[in-house]
Amino acid sequence: MKSVLIIVTSANIKTDFGNKTYNEQEVGLAKALSRKGCRCGIAYYGGNQEREEDFLADGLKIRMYLFKGRDFLKTAFFENYERVFKRYDILLPITYDHYESYRLAMKYPAKTIVYNGTYFSTFNKRYNLKCAVCDKFFLPGYRRKNTMFITKNRLSAEFLNKKGLANTHVVGVGFDAAQMSSSEMLDSELSKKIEKLKSDGQNILLYVGRLEKRRNILFLLELFKVLSKKTKSTLVIIGNGTEEYKASCKDFVSSNGLGDSILYQERMEQRFLPKIYKESDLFLLPTSYEIFGMVILEAMYFGTPVLTTLNGGSDILIKNGESGYIIPDLNLEKWEEKCIDVLQRDNSKLSERAHNVVAENFVWDVLADKFLDCFDTKIKNKD
């Protein structure tokens, strides 16, 4: 039985040991690997806290750790946890440019595989600068050790290949179907409002995610302003953000008289989201950068047509015009035209194809086999 420790190397990702409200990738992967017979653990940055205990997820026992350490630029520097690392056959730190990923790859080259999703984007100016600095110190070691990388998307694999890191394997990110079972379809106050609007002939446009500059929410609102004049539509927004950015969005809504046409909710428990997706006519994600986009996975799984930019998730998930729609840039006229086109057509076949793409290829139980193939290769070549 293989043992795998997934190591979340970001200092800004926290856990409350089992009280999950979102589709957390490391938990979904750990559960799928456990179902395949692996013994799994997940380690998080704990600041001044240290903790270690088992928790049950869907009846599966997963060992959870909080490691003490320091935070520098949202990157974790752990204290000495060699006693933990020695317990596992495979160490799976997340993100190539984090110090702990590099340190583990150097100290435990025979069993460390880095799971990476980042790629180059002109939007990420600070991140690109950070990578330039990290690459100067990390790349020679990664090349020398021939470190294996599993990537979340093709763009990330290309990004690493250009740096001379050739031992890359594109696997993707999985949907945790057990967390959001389509058989439940639970009602919420929001879904009841949406049902009433649909019975009155309204089209439902949906956005789920953080309200931030990267996601171009002001562009989304500008798009809706145009669409609201040409279609009978309501925009549903679910997500939180900084007070400053939310205020700018609220100002736009208020100054353009859109308040009566937008339903906004800061938070939604995951168990209520399936019904929201199912009732929506179009999911909009005008993002400038997305490592994968769990919301794209969710929308496609529940058959909601997706319109988004070219990003890490859409590049691997969407065949344009067949399982969703991609517009590479934020051209308002193009987005308006495509939205109207989608709302006027029968999307039943596209919705079915979108669901099948996720259900057949991007659920964690399917991806777990690809991870296990990489683990086997790593273990066989450890000498």
Side-chain angles (χ1 to χ4, degrees):
M1 178 175 68
K2 294 184 185 68
S3 55
V4 182
L5 179 64
I6 303 167
I7 305 160
V8 180
T9 55
S10 294
N12 59 336
I13 296 179
K14 309 296 183 184
T15 184
D16 51 6
F17 279 57
N19 183 22
K20 308 297 178 185
T21 58
Y22 192 65
N23 199 359
E24 296 181 2
Q25 296 175 18
E26 64 277 6
V27 177
L29 174 58
K31 289 193 296 183
L33 290 173
S34 296
R35 284 190 286 268
K36 301 287 183 179
C38 294
R39 176 173 62 84
C40 290
I42 306 175
Y44 295 91
Y45 170 73
N48 294 323
Q49 297 183 57
E50 181 179 62
R51 189 172 168 188
E52 177 180 343
E53 65 182 59
D54 291 329
F55 90 97
L56 290 177
D58 299 338
L60 301 162
K61 185 170 73 172
I62 298 172
R63 193 70 170 172
M64 302 288 282
Y65 302 89
L66 283 183
F67 287 167
K68 283 185 178 180
R70 292 175 290 111
D71 168 7
F72 180 69
L73 298 176
K74 299 182 180 179
T75 300
F77 290 74
F78 298 134
E79 292 184 1
N80 189 349
Y81 285 94
E82 307 310 312
R83 70 184 189 281
V84 176
F85 298 140
K86 290 177 180 178
R87 297 176 194 170
Y88 292 89
D89 302 316
I90 293 290
L91 303 177
L92 193 68
I94 298 174
T95 305
Y96 97 99
D97 57 277
H98 287 182
Y99 171 74
E100 285 298 333
S101 298
Y102 173 76
R103 186 179 73 84
L104 291 171
M106 296 305 101
K107 185 157 188 175
Y108 302 100
K111 62 180 182 179
T112 297
I113 303 172
V114 180
Y115 187 28
N116 191 70
T118 56
Y119 57 92
F120 179 79
S121 169
T122 55
F123 177 82
N124 290 334
K125 294 179 181 179
R126 289 185 179 179
Y127 180 74
N128 295 338
L129 179 61
K130 176 190 174 188
C131 284
V133 174
C134 291
D135 288 353
K136 184 176 180 179
F137 297 99
F138 295 172
L139 288 184
Y142 279 142
R143 292 173 186 150
R144 187 174 64 254
K145 299 290 186 179
N146 192 28
T147 302
M148 178 184 283
F149 294 87
I150 294 175
T151 68
K152 299 182 180 183
N153 54 66
R154 287 189 293 253
L155 299 179
S156 178
E158 294 170 3
F159 175 64
L160 296 176
N161 292 162
K162 288 179 180 177
K163 297 176 183 292
L165 305 176
N167 191 4
T168 59
H169 305 262
V170 181
V171 171
V173 175
F175 176 77
D176 193 347
Q179 282 287 92
M180 293 179 68
S181 173
S182 59
S183 63
E184 294 180 2
M185 291 297 155
L186 298 178
D187 271 319
S188 61
E189 289 303 313
L190 183 58
S191 69
K192 291 175 183 177
K193 291 177 183 178
I194 290 172
E195 283 186 317
K196 173 125 185 3
L197 289 167
K198 285 184 71 71
S199 68
D200 293 337
Q202 289 280 317
N203 297 302
I204 303 300
L205 310 178
L206 177 65
Y207 171 85
V208 179
R210 188 161 177 80
L211 307 186
E212 57 185 341
K213 186 178 180 180
R214 172 172 65 93
R215 295 284 182 79
N216 297 298
I217 306 304
L218 290 173
F219 172 84
L220 175 65
L221 294 173
E222 184 70 47
L223 173 64
F224 181 67
K225 174 185 172 182
V226 176
L227 290 174
S228 65
K229 296 175 181 177
K230 298 183 179 182
T231 65
K232 193 176 180 182
S233 300
T234 296
L235 176 61
V236 177
I237 297 177
I238 301 173
N240 205 348
T242 65
E243 291 304 318
E244 182 182 1
Y245 194 76
K246 285 193 299 181
S248 66
C249 294
K250 290 176 182 178
D251 287 345
F252 184 94
V253 170
S254 177
S255 61
N256 288 279
L258 298 174
D260 293 337
S261 302
I262 296 176
L263 294 180
Y264 173 62
Q265 187 161 319
E266 282 193 354
R267 294 178 179 82
M268 169 69 68
E269 286 186 63
Q270 194 173 20
R271 61 197 177 107
F272 295 119
L273 280 173
K275 187 69 176 286
I276 305 295
Y277 282 118
K278 276 288 188 180
E279 293 291 342
S280 299
D281 298 291
L282 181 59
F283 182 83
L284 300 169
L285 184 63
T287 182
S288 293
Y289 179 81
E290 208 71 36
I291 286 178
F292 202 82
M294 299 305 291
V295 288
I296 298 177
L297 271 181
E298 294 170 3
M300 291 178 67
Y301 184 82
F302 293 109
T304 313
V306 173
L307 173 58
T308 186
T309 52
L310 179 62
N311 55 69
S314 66
D315 178 62
I316 197 171
L317 288 169
I318 295 176
K319 190 169 183 179
N320 200 13
E322 294 188 17
S323 53
Y325 303 96
I326 297 173
I327 298 179
D329 56 9
L330 296 180
N331 181 296
L332 188 62
E333 187 176 335
K334 290 179 183 177
W335 279 71
E336 173 199 344
E337 182 180 333
K338 179 54 69 176
C339 286
I340 293 173
D341 175 55
V342 174
L343 293 175
Q344 290 178 344
R345 67 167 59 193
D346 179 2
N347 291 293
S348 55
K349 289 185 179 178
L350 180 141
S351 296
E352 182 180 358
R353 285 192 293 265
H355 168 79
N356 290 340
V357 165
V358 178
E360 295 171 10
N361 303 288
F362 291 96
V363 292
W364 281 119
D365 284 335
V366 172
L367 294 187
D369 288 328
K370 297 182 179 181
F371 275 89
L372 288 171
D373 287 343
C374 291
F375 298 164
D376 287 340
T377 300
K378 187 68 176 177
I379 292 171
K380 287 176 185 176
N381 295 335
K382 66 181 179 179
D383 296 328

